[in-house]
């Protein structure tokens, strides 16, 4: 009886303790919509010197963030239609031959969410870094979610500049019913749940309205998911990616992310880095 009293008293104290803002992210799961490759890294980064050339197979990063206010997905990977060798049914054949995607149906974001023990219909917000085919591919699987994207990026998706075309934007990923989704159209940074734990960061350059995400974990660790603001570690060494809307903005965004990493002692994860994924991928970060 006395033990019960103590337990009840402890329980009471638990409810009286104010929850810190940091405690609201229960975890971040890092996964991939299959891989691209193998191909020479110089295909992605033509500025890379010969001595740094290597053949790579790269992950197509996606993130699931479990927050006490709801489940959040950051990027939805390659469209479900390209799974199991059916790339050319949905993508430009040149993109299939160049990127060499391998994605099983089980790799697609809805199946991954189910495997983690959630219902894909319960996803509250889908943040899309940018409207390229390997990031916006499955927004149609989340018709009930709030879709968080930069307003400029939506414009660009529907009418890319001529020099930006060539198969990286797949209209079928965001046409039809996706036109009428609920978009939170951003013009800059945004504190998703108003508590400082999940912040959308404007990082243009790779595309007109690219955005990254910073998450403050319950442990106190901050992680920053750059996505395609930085593809791989070589971009951090001063070799810009070969596909950019604006190299000037791209460099400024890398500088911004480096500063955040250094000032906040954050972990900075790149959009397609095989070595980073081998260490941190397919697991929870808490
Ligand atoms: Zn990408």
């Amino acid at each position: 009886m006395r033990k019960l009293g103590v337990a009840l008293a402890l329980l009471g104290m638990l409810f009286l303790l104010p929850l810190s803002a940091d405690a609201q992210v229960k975890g971040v799961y890092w996964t991939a919509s299959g891989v691209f490759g193998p191909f020479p890294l110089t295909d992605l980064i033509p500025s890379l010197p010969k001595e740094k050339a290597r053949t790579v197979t790269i992950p197509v990063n996606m993130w699931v963030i479990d927050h006490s206010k709801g489940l959040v997905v950051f990027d939805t990977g390659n469209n479900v239609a390209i799974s199991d060798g059916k790339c050319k049914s949905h993508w430009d054949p040149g993109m299939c031959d160049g990127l060499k995607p391998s994605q099983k149906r089980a790799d697609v974001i809805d199946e991954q969410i189910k495997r983690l023990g959630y219902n894909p219909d319960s996803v509250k917000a889908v943040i899309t870094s940018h409207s390229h085919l390997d990031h916006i591919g499955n927004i149609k699987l989340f018709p009930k979610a709030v879709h968080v994207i930069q307003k400029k990026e939506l414009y660009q998706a529907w009418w890319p500049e001529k020099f930006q075309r060539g198969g990286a934007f797949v209209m079928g990923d965001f046409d039809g019913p996706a036109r009428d989704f609920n978009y939170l159209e951003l013009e800059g940074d945004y504190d998703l749940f108003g508590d400082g734990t999940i912040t959308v960061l404007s990082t243009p350059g790779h595309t007109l309205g690219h955005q990254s995400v910073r998450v403050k974990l319950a442990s106190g660790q901050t992680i920053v998911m750059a996505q395609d603001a930085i593809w791989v570690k070589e971009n951090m060494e001063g070799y810009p990616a070969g596909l950019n809307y604006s190299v000037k903005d791209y460099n400024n965004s890398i500088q911004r992310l480096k500063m955040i990493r250094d000032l906040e002692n954050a972990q900075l994860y790149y959009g397609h880095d095989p070595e980073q994924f081998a260490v941190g991928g397919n697991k929870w970060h808490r």
Side-chain angles (χ1 to χ4, degrees):
M1 200 58 204
R2 217 177 116 213
K3 271 188 185 158
L4 186 68
V6 171
L8 283 173
L10 284 172
L11 204 65
M13 278 168 68
L14 208 64
F15 284 111
L16 287 174
L17 285 173
L19 279 172
S20 82
D22 289 347
Q24 290 170 333
V25 172
K26 298 180 206 164
V28 177
Y29 192 84
W30 182 5
T31 185
S33 197
V35 295
F36 289 154
F39 44 61
L41 186 54
T42 45
D43 284 5
L44 299 180
I45 311 176
S47 63
L48 204 64
K50 278 199 183 72
E51 63 272 19
K52 288 188 176 273
R54 60 184 176 124
T55 299
V56 288
T57 298
I58 59 171
V60 178
N61 283 355
M62 306 184 293
W63 304 82
V64 178
I65 307 165
D66 187 353
H67 187 285
S68 52
K69 288 183 180 160
L71 203 62
V72 178
V73 170
F74 182 31
D75 281 354
T76 53
N78 304 318
N79 193 280
V80 59
I82 78 142
S83 303
D84 305 319
K86 299 194 202 76
C87 187
K88 290 175 185 175
S89 70
H90 190 69
W91 285 4
D92 179 286
M95 295 304 284
C96 297
D97 295 337
L99 290 172
K100 300 184 190 166
S102 41
Q103 169 178 279
K104 294 187 207 72
R105 180 63 186 88
D107 297 329
V108 179
I109 188 69
D110 58 339
E111 289 297 318
Q112 303 250 22
I113 288 170
K114 282 184 220 162
R115 255 201 316 283
L116 293 173
Y118 309 104
N119 179 349
D121 281 344
S122 73
V123 170
K124 192 168 194 179
V126 173
I127 307 171
T128 297
S129 65
H130 65 301
S131 47
H132 280 163
L133 77 185
D134 54 328
H135 297 267
I136 201 170
N138 288 304
I139 61 168
K140 285 184 184 172
L141 294 178
F142 303 95
K144 296 177 186 165
V146 170
H147 288 266
V148 183
I149 191 164
Q150 296 288 321
K151 191 176 185 70
K152 283 192 284 193
E153 187 68 14
L154 282 175
Y155 288 162
Q156 186 201 237
W158 283 92
W159 199 260
E161 313 289 339
K162 237 175 188 174
F163 76 91
Q164 283 269 291
R165 295 182 197 171
F169 299 96
V170 176
M171 194 62 78
D173 288 344
F174 39 78
D175 64 358
R179 261 317 275 242
D180 295 317
F181 283 1
N182 286 321
Y183 290 97
L184 177 54
E185 298 174 7
L186 301 182
E187 294 179 79
D189 296 356
Y190 192 79
D191 179 358
L192 189 65
F193 290 134
D195 59 10
T197 58
I198 303 175
T199 309
V200 178
L201 303 169
S202 170
T203 49
H206 175 64
T207 58
L208 183 61
H210 189 280
Q211 57 188 13
S212 305
V213 170
R214 173 182 60 199
V215 172
K216 293 186 179 174
L217 299 172
S219 61
Q221 177 69 50
T222 296
I223 63 173
V224 177
M225 294 154 268
Q227 291 299 68
D228 286 5
I230 306 165
W231 275 342
V232 290
K233 69 172 190 306
E234 281 83 352
N235 300 134
M236 296 290 276
E237 296 163 7
Y239 306 109
L243 177 62
N244 275 308
Y245 182 91
S246 158
V247 179
K248 178 174 175 283
D249 289 347
Y250 171 86
N251 282 322
N252 287 343
S253 291
I254 290 187
Q255 284 310 315
R256 179 177 196 209
L257 293 169
K258 273 185 182 171
M259 294 296 161
I260 291 172
R261 177 196 66 186
D262 295 344
L263 288 168
E264 302 184 21
N265 292 330
Q267 287 280 352
L268 177 56
Y269 293 119
Y270 318 139
H272 295 283
D273 191 285
E275 285 78 28
Q276 279 194 337
F277 190 82
V279 175
N282 294 319
K283 62 176 70 152
W284 281 104
H285 297 249
R286 298 184 200 273

